[in-house]
Amino acid sequence: HLSWLKKDVRAAFKKLDGVSEIKIAAGEKPGTQSVVVMTTGEALTKKALVKALGKKASTYKVKTVKKKEKTS
């Protein structure tokens, strides 16, 4: 359990405009974690997420960015 990793990621992504929630869970592969960032603003880009991580960006890999479809 890497609580320091969660703290780093949460702190970095909370700085982005519109971020309302960050969920971190075990990833599909052992030793990895999955992060879901919920936003109230424009869709976040991979570039913005990597930039938010700053010097620690090399520790993480942003694989995909998906926009949640609005449900009516």
Side-chain angles (χ1 to χ4, degrees):
H1 187 1
L2 303 173
S3 60
W4 61 269
L5 178 132
K6 290 182 181 183
K7 184 177 178 182
D8 286 349
V9 171
R10 283 185 196 281
F13 292 167
K14 276 287 188 186
K15 294 177 186 175
L16 297 171
D17 287 339
V19 172
S20 60
E21 185 177 355
I22 301 169
K23 296 180 184 179
I24 302 175
E28 292 179 14
K29 294 181 181 179
T32 65
Q33 293 189 331
S34 171
V35 180
V36 176
V37 179
M38 304 297 283
T39 180
T40 57
E42 293 296 314
L44 291 175
T45 63
K46 206 172 183 177
K47 185 176 179 179
L49 292 170
V50 171
K51 185 176 179 180
L53 291 168
K55 292 179 181 179
K56 297 192 180 219
S58 63
T59 307
Y60 308 101
K61 182 174 182 181
V62 178
K63 291 177 68 176
T64 58
V65 176
K66 297 179 186 175
K67 185 176 180 181
K68 184 178 180 181
E69 297 299 321
K70 292 184 179 181
T71 55
S72 38

